Amino acid sequence: MRCSLKRSLSAALAASFLLLLFLYGGSRQDQDPPEVELGALAPDTVLQLLQPEGAQRILRDTGGLSALHNVSYHLLAGSPSPHKKFLAVGLASVQRPRGYYLPATLQSLFKQSTEEELQEMVVVVHLADADPTWNVRVAANIAAKFAQHILLGRLLLIHAPHEFYPTLEGLKRNFNDPEERVRFRSKQNVDYAFLLAFAANLSSYYLMIEDDVWCAKSFLTAIRKALASQEGSNWATLEFSKLGYIGKLYRSSDLPRLARFLLLFYQEMPCDWLLVHFRLLLTQKDVIRFRPSLFQHMGLYSSFQGTVNRLEDDEFQADAMDLPDNPPAALFTTMAVFENYEPLKAYSTAEGYFWGKDPAAGSTFSIVFQQPARVTRVRVRTGSAERRGDILRAGVLELGRRRRVDGRDCSAYTTVGTFEKGSCERQGLERGVPGPVECVRIRVTRAQSEWLIIQSIEIWTTAGT
């Protein structure tokens, strides 16, 4: 009798859960995913509700390396979309001795994205713990909290069974690391390798994060802008955080070989070091990191032995909607350039700055737009933390029209601001200088003995460019 009653109760709760999901599916898309009380249901039952055929096994043929050839994944929740998305966000998660940040990370990913952005994105979580009970329990918890995103194909929960893993015993102790750390970081490399292989065909681009991060508002739109600025370049990795392997962007077409690379050298060194070697092997010599950072580390306790980890990115900005547009432009200066600190480094949101020698009265730094633009706001910062004296001590900001025939400058300028303590920011420029402009220029008005570092030039525009 008790067994019959228990089965009836489970069936009733399951039916109620499915009814809630059905009703919510027809409701507004911008509301939070439903959270359903599932305490009376076993984790396996919860997953079956969202995955009626149980833990599906998905075959991914990445070719080339036997350990990645026909790996059989457990698809714990969700279903891959038949249509390729713009961006896949991938993260691996294991049981931590202290702290549990995965739900907060997923909440941030979804909450900080608009409905339009969510339609272009899929999040893939590799639940990679050696304890299958933990994986199922966490999958059920995530499925309950983010049911709507799973049903809409925005969230996939996967697991690569451990019979596919290479040995994690008797590994080389490079860098004199303890055996426990070598085993942890080696397994982590394999976790990511299997995650990358699974995600290779889901989207055009792949973003790597960790399971304990905050996201900037509209980070996907900011990534789109960054990609536009790199159009035509042969980059291998774009970085949107300066911490570890948080915020690393790859072309999805590169994921199969990156997965093979991590698996081939899994016991040699930590994942973030291997990612640097991969970038260099793909002939990208310099780091291309965009500022401000779009992702912030939030976890207090490390997934390795629960040690305290207070890492923070001091360049994180919570609202990516405020990022500048910086229209495509050519850059010119009359100052001598020191080494490879060329003008583009001041205008690009990638890491680096311009460094000019011996600024004289009348020296200029000109930005000539490819197309006229309606400029609304300009912000220029000079100097750096290491060389605070190399600021622009006397200068003006100018907007120009009537581009010259040689395309290197404009013939008519209007002064819109003066530099104070090395910085100049002006807003509402569309009111003072109506109509599109073709040039933005920084002009030195008094010679200075110190060299000039232009740290950043940020330009915002409005529609009708």
Side-chain angles (χ1 to χ4, degrees), residues 159-457:
H159 173 69
H162 281 259
E163 59 260 31
F164 294 101
Y165 277 62
T167 182
L168 297 173
E169 302 297 332
L171 303 175
K172 292 191 295 184
R173 291 181 57 189
N174 293 342
F175 317 110
N176 203 32
D177 282 346
E179 287 185 16
E180 295 80 7
R181 176 171 286 278
V182 172
R183 186 182 302 110
F184 174 83
R185 62 171 167 79
S186 298
K187 178 186 174 298
Q188 191 175 54
N189 285 333
V190 183
D191 294 342
Y192 278 112
F194 288 146
L195 172 61
L196 294 166
F198 180 90
N201 297 316
L202 298 178
S203 61
S204 299
Y205 298 96
Y206 175 87
L207 178 72
M208 177 181 286
I209 64 170
E210 296 185 39
D211 67 347
D212 57 350
V213 301
W214 299 111
C215 308
K217 184 178 180 181
S218 288
F219 63 88
L220 184 144
T221 298
I223 289 172
R224 271 196 183 281
K225 286 185 178 182
L227 284 168
S229 74
Q230 296 296 313
E231 188 174 355
S233 67
N234 294 318
W235 58 269
T237 310
L238 301 182
E239 303 186 12
F240 297 91
S241 169
K242 63 182 184 181
L243 300 179
Y245 32 82
I246 296 173
K248 303 296 183 285
L249 187 78
Y250 299 91
R251 292 183 174 93
S252 293
S253 57
D254 286 333
L255 294 188
R257 53 180 166 177
L258 177 54
R260 294 195 292 270
F261 182 78
L262 292 180
L263 197 56
L264 186 62
F265 298 102
Y266 77 103
Q267 63 175 307
E268 303 297 336
M269 61 187 69
C271 184
D272 50 339
W273 295 10
L274 286 174
L275 295 179
V276 172
H277 286 287
F278 182 77
R279 168 175 60 79
L280 294 172
L281 286 170
L282 267 60
T283 69
Q284 181 188 319
K285 179 181 177 182
D286 297 322
V287 172
I288 305 176
R289 184 168 67 81
F290 292 84
R291 300 168 299 179
S293 298
L294 301 179
F295 304 94
Q296 177 66 282
H297 180 258
M298 72 157 108
L300 179 59
Y301 301 108
S302 168
S303 52
F304 176 67
Q305 296 185 340
T307 54
V308 174
N309 182 5
R310 300 183 183 275
L311 282 177
E312 285 193 357
D313 190 331
D314 58 4
E315 295 184 3
F316 172 71
Q317 181 172 306
D319 189 356
M321 292 297 289
D322 192 41
L323 295 180
D325 301 296
N326 282 24
L331 290 88
F332 305 97
T333 182
T334 59
M335 290 173 274
V337 179
F338 177 63
E339 294 186 352
N340 65 336
Y341 294 88
E342 61 265 14
L344 181 60
K345 291 188 174 181
Y347 191 63
S348 168
T349 51
E351 195 169 22
Y353 52 77
F354 164 77
W355 203 355
K357 300 179 181 179
D358 304 321
S363 294
T364 58
F365 184 107
S366 301
I367 302 160
V368 182
F369 297 143
Q370 291 181 7
Q371 298 293 332
R374 296 181 183 273
V375 175
T376 61
R377 176 183 173 193
V378 178
R379 179 167 61 199
V380 181
R381 297 187 178 102
T382 67
S384 71
E386 299 78 19
R387 296 185 175 274
R388 299 181 185 277
D390 288 3
I391 64 172
L392 180 54
R393 300 181 178 276
V396 293
L397 178 68
E398 302 171 317
L399 300 184
R401 292 177 176 173
R402 297 204 294 274
R403 183 168 47 192
R404 294 191 329 207
V405 176
D406 62 7
R408 299 178 62 88
D409 208 345
C410 285
S411 58
Y413 278 97
T414 301
T415 299
V416 295
T418 302
F419 279 80
E420 298 179 6
K421 297 180 180 179
S423 297
C424 181
E425 180 172 5
R426 290 294 180 271
Q427 301 186 44
L429 294 175
E430 71 281 8
R431 295 189 293 271
V433 185
V437 301
E438 297 176 90
C439 302
V440 175
R441 189 171 74 176
I442 300 164
R443 180 165 55 87
V444 180
T445 55
R446 187 177 68 241
Q448 59 185 61
S449 57
E450 299 86 356
W451 290 4
L452 174 60
I453 289 175
I454 300 180
Q455 181 71 236
S456 62
I457 303 170

Side-chain angles (χ1 to χ4, degrees), residues 1-9:
M1 180 65 179
R2 288 182 179 177
C3 292
S4 176
L5 179 61
K6 184 177 180 180
R7 283 196 299 269
S8 299
L9 178 60

Side-chain angles (χ1 to χ4, degrees), residues 39-117:
L41 292 180
D44 286 337
T45 305
V46 176
L47 295 179
Q48 287 171 10
L49 293 175
L50 292 176
Q51 202 75 336
E53 299 176 3
Q56 298 180 18
R57 303 177 81 85
I58 304 297
L59 297 181
R60 286 283 193 266
D61 182 3
T62 59
L65 200 62
S66 59
L68 283 174
H69 188 77
N70 288 339
V71 173
S72 183
Y73 294 85
H74 289 177
L75 185 55
L76 300 177
S79 179
S81 170
H83 308 292
K84 184 173 284 190
K85 305 279 189 174
F86 167 72
L87 181 69
V89 182
L91 56 151
S93 187
V94 297
Q95 189 170 184
R96 295 170 181 258
R98 304 167 71 184
Y100 175 52
Y101 309 104
L102 178 58
T105 298
L106 294 175
Q107 182 77 351
S108 181
L109 282 166
F110 295 128
K111 274 285 193 182
Q112 296 292 70
S113 303
T114 65
E115 179 62 28
E116 292 73 21
E117 291 167 336

